[in-house]
Amino acid sequence: MPTTTWNRHHILSLADFTTAEYDTVLQTAASFQEVLSRRTKKVPTLQGQVVANLFFESSTRTRSSFELAAKRLSADTLNFAAATSSMTKGETILDTAKTYLAMGTDIMVVRHREAGVPNAIAAEMDRLGVRVSVLNAGDGQHEHPSQALLDLFTICTLIDPASPRLELLKGKKIAIVGDILHSRVARSNIWSLIASGAEVHLAAPPTLLPKLFAEYISEESGARSQESEVRSYSPNPQLFLHWQLEPALQNADFVMTLRLQKERMTAHLLPSLREYHQLFGITRTKLQLCKPNVKVLHPGPVNRGVEISSELMDDPEFSLIQSQVTSGVAVRMALLYLLGSGKA
């Protein structure tokens, strides 16, 4: 395991992550990936600790990944489901969290459809003076730190399997395509990729990528690109916004395509899914604009034939989607380990 000291008590956002913290997560995840390749895939690192998965929103990959990660670390797990909980009888979110606190929970993994809920629970735990860590597993349109970290790990281990580190992405061109307006994954990925020194190109229809999104990075050094002002905008030397797909894909090293967040859309922002796929769907033909060894990622779940063609999704020559799912267990083991190792 890396010897770097870890001082972060909660993991709620990547906005203030340091290079050392990114590298610690990547190196720790690499160690656990080696553990997961063994015949015995369990270590006693968090034995005796309790990890509560408080998922107030439906999830398959994230929830299962965190549960398996906790079990691989020998922690006891508690799984919360809002539909069968006392919240249906009027219990508040903070009361639910304090109920799990009373059961001896050490780490709370929180997912909610409203932004800020993990932060509110973390603030309440701090106010109570208890040593309970909160890990944001996705909150509304805010952030999804663990997904961005596993995306980072997937890419870095592809480049250097023996020593994944942030600097490997410096100068790489990475396109993020899709429903960026509603995507917490995009927000977290922007923080991590900008920190790595990568060049990040966001591409989406104007209704799903307003200029207002630029304020998540910087507006101080804003400058118009040489393309049409209607089609492209650069709010930061490393961040570029495009309302057409082609300039984002041109010579890209990696393409991250995002699911259309239909459940979060409050208006009819697209004419049709068919038109969206024609203009922004990722296919083998469109990948010809990228570098020859380009790879494609998607956080899932995937709308086949909408964000990405079905044949491309299943093509191991280009697709890293299954690798992302595998990486998720190792990365979430690393996060739970880093938060829980100081509680033993």
Side-chain angles (χ1 to χ4, degrees), residues 179-182 187 202 204-216 233 235 241-243 269:
D179 185 5
I180 294 164
L181 174 63
H182 300 93
R187 284 161 173 77
L202 311 180
T207 52
L208 298 179
L209 182 58
K211 289 182 207 172
L212 198 60
F213 191 85
E215 69 186 19
Y216 278 84
Y233 177 67
L241 280 62
H242 305 279
W243 288 278
L269 301 177

Side-chain angles (χ1 to χ4, degrees), residues 5-24:
T5 302
W6 180 268
N7 297 316
R8 189 176 290 267
H9 185 52
H10 306 297
I11 299 176
L12 304 172
S13 167
L14 297 185
D16 60 347
F17 252 57
T18 66
T19 299
E21 287 176 319
Y22 280 117
D23 284 341
T24 297

